[in-house]
Amino acid sequence: MIAAPYTTGRFFFVPQLWAYAYRVVPPPPAAGLTDLRRLLDNENAIAFQQARAWAAQLVLEQRSTQILVVSDSPAQNRAVNRRLESALERLHADYRLSNPVAIGGPSTAAPRLPSAPAAHEGTSTASSSPSMG
């Protein structure tokens, strides 16, 4: 758990979150993506209903498909993982699973209040993908 200060000096606790990814090479066929989306939407809804931290998102690329997962646990042998891996196996999809990475918690510095963007600030269209080594 991560302690994060309220502006009044009281603390609340935020569970440690973890991120990991499934890399599917080559990408599954379009029909398989529909099945995966349906499964992930269902799993995301179940986690929300049960107040668990677990969410997955498909990231489509030309030569691979990534399934990015954020969870309250680094464990990768949970029932939800087994259901996802079974779905990938039914598609005859080759995949690799990355190691879980802890997602940093809130800073201990005082919270920043939102401000209007400065004239030199803009939006960036650049993105980066972590290597799955």
Side-chain angles (χ1 to χ4, degrees):
M1 299 287 256
I2 300 168
Y6 278 108
T7 57
T8 62
R10 293 180 291 159
F11 286 84
F12 63 96
F13 290 94
V14 178
Q16 175 66 59
L17 294 177
W18 300 84
Y20 55 91
Y22 290 84
R23 175 176 278 174
V24 183
V25 179
L33 289 175
T34 300
D35 293 342
L36 282 175
R37 273 194 185 98
R38 189 175 300 120
L39 173 70
L40 295 178
D41 288 346
N42 186 51
E43 295 296 346
N44 289 340
I46 289 169
F48 180 77
Q49 290 169 349
Q50 296 176 354
R52 288 186 295 115
W54 191 93
Q57 179 70 43
L58 276 174
V59 178
L60 306 177
E61 298 175 335
Q62 203 169 33
R63 294 191 176 118
S64 69
T65 294
Q66 311 285 333
I67 302 170
L68 302 179
V69 177
V70 175
S71 176
D72 56 5
S73 170
Q76 296 176 322
N77 61 347
R78 298 162 83 175
V80 64
N81 297 88
R82 290 190 298 273
R83 288 189 293 272
L84 176 54
E85 291 165 8
S86 291
L88 291 170
E89 289 167 9
R90 283 192 300 276
L91 295 171
H92 303 286
D94 292 326
Y95 67 89
R96 290 190 311 167
L97 181 58
S98 72
N99 291 324
V101 176
I103 297 174
S107 166
T108 56
R112 279 183 62 196
L113 297 176
S115 62
H120 67 277
E121 291 181 2
T123 58
S124 172
T125 57
S127 65
S128 63
S129 313
S131 172
M132 294 200 29

